[in-house]
Amino acid sequence: MARPTHLECTRCGEHYAADRPQTVCPKDGGILYARYDLASIKKTFSPGSLMGLAPTMWRYDAVLPEATPVTLGEGFTPMLPSREYDNVFIKDEGLNPTGSFKARGLSAAVTMARHFGLKKLAIPSAGNAAGALAAYAAAAGMEAHIFMPKDVPMANRIECDYYGAHITLVDGLISDCARKVAELKEKPAWSKEGWFDVSTTKEPYRVEGKKTMGYEVAEQLGWKLPQGIIYPTGGGVGLLGMWKAFDEMEELGFIGSERPNMISVQAAGCAPIVKAWDEGRPTAEMWPNASTLAAGLRVPKPYGDYLILDILKKSGGLALAVSDAEILEATRHWAKVEGIFAAPEGAAAQVAYRKLWDSGFFSDDDVVVLFNTGSGLKYLDVLDTKDAQAPRPPASRAIAGIIGPY
């Protein structure tokens, strides 16, 4: 494993020590990234060195922080060729522990929290991150304190309870849950009792766990990057992590300067990144009255918005929104055609690809990876209720300038 040389602010570039718990840059609130001595790592870490290693995300421990992993076998999920579209692959993150891609980030974050001797971990979550934290905290012998909207899918609430987490249901959105965590920080017990906030991008290591998706995409495609990656975007940590992984891989000599078109897909009822992209803004505004059946996409303003938008621009990608009706149709379509019971957030990627293929943005020759971020089994109550009520989308859809409606 590699010991990070330092943590670097993604806004001002300031460096901070990596041998203690850190949150965000105290100067400007920028997200901190772990940095490594890649020139030294390159001497012993190569694609060939991965042969025979366990098929988990910790096979990439050469570029992960040095600590004893808290692991449940997360990562190295299948890259399934689509049965419907040529050169399209579905990265099925629903096969991770706790049924979603959140397992990666929380495995890394809990690993480092235990390494630093922290005792109580708090998280605001739209659902799946809560379940992942609860599971990994249980595995680490730590306390998990969950703050999530009271209308989260039932599976998220029940799994947190069974893992022994402390649950607070909040009448509101994930942003309201984050305020509850912020209130806790004002109490003397926060520092005395070893509390720590593992909110999305509020600490450096969830990004490190999620970046392993980028290494896996490259490895599973023979160390060639696809022309496009479609990523359902709530907090956007996976998009940040993969982009970081691509930069690391280039410096390690695994790939060249090529990059995929990074596509951010959001729900029409909560699309702050799409709106900011359409308006040419470097950051997003708070989305009012956020509403979508895809709980993981109901993030009114991701903290890493400035990084997400910058990645879309640098990659030649874009952001687009899809309706709940389209998401429901795609969830059922993917199940029938691909044999994948996707989370609504993941099904949004299928809708996005169809729109971009219809518009000519992607051709049949382009290799494109769609991320299914979780298992539909965690949304049974949501899908059973919504599928009976939602109107069906028309059979033919206009591209609506690619990025609408929002």
Side-chain angles (χ1 to χ4, degrees), residues 123-131 145-158 160 166-181 270 290-300 345 381-382:
I123 192 170
S125 170
N128 279 322
H145 293 259
I146 309 296
F147 297 82
M148 54 186 178
K150 66 180 183 180
D151 61 349
V152 294
M154 185 184 299
N156 298 134
R157 175 177 55 79
I158 292 174
C160 289
H166 303 269
I167 304 169
T168 300
L169 297 177
V170 178
D171 187 8
L173 304 172
I174 190 172
S175 51
D176 300 298
C177 298
R179 279 192 285 272
K180 293 289 185 182
V181 176
C270 183
S291 176
T292 173
L293 66 89
L297 300 183
R298 198 169 58 187
V299 180
E345 297 86 354
D381 56 325
V382 176

Side-chain angles (χ1 to χ4, degrees), residues 253-326:
F254 288 19
I255 62 171
S257 60
E258 70 277 8
R259 295 292 185 272
N261 300 130
M262 303 297 284
I263 309 298
S264 172
V265 57
Q266 297 193 299
C270 183
I273 294 298
V274 177
K275 186 173 187 293
W277 177 259
D278 187 34
E279 296 174 352
R281 297 177 181 272
T283 59
E285 299 174 337
M286 181 70 71
W287 187 273
N289 304 314
S291 176
T292 173
L293 66 89
L297 300 183
R298 198 169 58 187
V299 180
K301 188 184 188 302
Y303 195 75
D305 55 354
Y306 66 100
L307 291 174
I308 295 169
L309 290 161
D310 186 55
I311 289 168
L312 298 184
K313 183 177 180 180
K314 287 179 177 178
S315 73
L318 53 83
L320 74 162
V322 300
S323 70
D324 276 10
E326 289 173 313

Side-chain angles (χ1 to χ4, degrees), residues 36-57:
Y36 306 86
D37 182 358
L38 294 174
S40 295
I41 292 171
K42 184 178 180 179
K43 297 174 183 178
T44 56
F45 181 48
S46 68
S49 69
L50 295 167
M51 295 293 292
L53 297 184
T56 76
M57 77 175 200

Side-chain angles (χ1 to χ4, degrees), residues 320-321 352 354-360 397-405:
L320 74 162
R354 191 165 55 196
K355 288 176 178 284
L356 295 170
W357 183 80
D358 285 345
S359 72
R397 302 175 189 81
I399 192 63
I402 291 181
I403 59 174

Side-chain angles (χ1 to χ4, degrees), residues 15-302:
H15 290 190
Y16 297 94
D19 61 353
R20 67 201 70 171
Q22 300 279 11
T23 54
V24 297
C25 178
K27 291 186 176 182
D28 55 19
I31 294 168
L32 300 183
Y33 275 178
R35 299 301 189 189
Y36 306 86
D37 182 358
L38 294 174
S40 295
I41 292 171
K42 184 178 180 179
K43 297 174 183 178
T44 56
F45 181 48
S46 68
S49 69
L50 295 167
M51 295 293 292
L53 297 184
T56 76
M57 77 175 200
W58 294 98
R59 66 195 282 108
Y60 308 110
D61 60 3
V63 285
L64 291 171
E66 185 179 35
T68 301
V70 179
T71 177
L72 296 171
E74 56 289 327
F76 219 72
T77 54
M79 183 88 81
L80 303 171
S82 171
R83 291 168 170 81
E84 184 174 17
Y85 295 101
D86 293 335
N87 295 316
V88 171
F89 294 86
I90 301 164
K91 184 70 167 156
D92 194 358
E93 292 291 293
L95 299 180
N96 274 303
T98 73
S100 87
F101 67 153
K102 298 292 186 179
R104 296 176 185 267
L106 271 305
S107 174
V110 173
T111 290
M112 296 309 294
R114 185 177 69 174
H115 178 73
F116 290 132
L118 300 167
K119 304 297 183 185
K120 301 181 180 182
L121 304 180
I123 192 170
S125 170
N128 279 322
L133 174 61
Y136 285 94
M142 304 172 71
E143 286 186 21
H145 293 259
I146 309 296
F147 297 82
M148 54 186 178
K150 66 180 183 180
D151 61 349
V152 294
M154 185 184 299
N156 298 134
R157 175 177 55 79
I158 292 174
E159 66 178 338
C160 289
D161 178 54
Y162 269 74
Y163 287 129
H166 303 269
I167 304 169
T168 300
L169 297 177
V170 178
D171 187 8
L173 304 172
I174 190 172
S175 51
D176 300 298
C177 298
R179 279 192 285 272
K180 293 289 185 182
V181 176
E183 291 170 5
L184 275 179
K185 294 179 183 179
E186 301 301 318
K187 298 180 179 180
W190 183 267
S191 56
K192 290 181 180 179
E193 297 178 6
W195 284 76
F196 192 72
D197 179 5
V198 289
S199 299
T200 300
T201 58
K202 295 294 183 66
E203 56 77 51
Y205 299 108
R206 286 178 66 177
V207 170
E208 292 302 286
K210 289 286 188 69
K211 83 179 182 185
T212 60
M213 296 189 298
Y215 281 89
E216 286 178 26
V217 166
E219 182 176 1
Q220 290 172 320
L221 292 178
W223 300 105
K224 294 181 180 179
L225 296 186
Q227 278 70 55
I229 290 178
I230 301 182
Y231 189 79
T233 306
V237 181
L239 194 148
L240 272 55
M242 285 189 282
W243 195 254
K244 183 175 187 288
F246 300 152
D247 286 346
E248 290 179 359
M249 283 189 284
E250 182 179 0
E251 193 168 343
L252 290 165
F254 288 19
I255 62 171
S257 60
E258 70 277 8
R259 295 292 185 272
N261 300 130
M262 303 297 284
I263 309 298
S264 172
V265 57
Q266 297 193 299
C270 183
I273 294 298
V274 177
K275 186 173 187 293
W277 177 259
D278 187 34
E279 296 174 352
R281 297 177 181 272
T283 59
E285 299 174 337
M286 181 70 71
W287 187 273
N289 304 314
S291 176
T292 173
L293 66 89
L297 300 183
R298 198 169 58 187
V299 180
K301 188 184 188 302

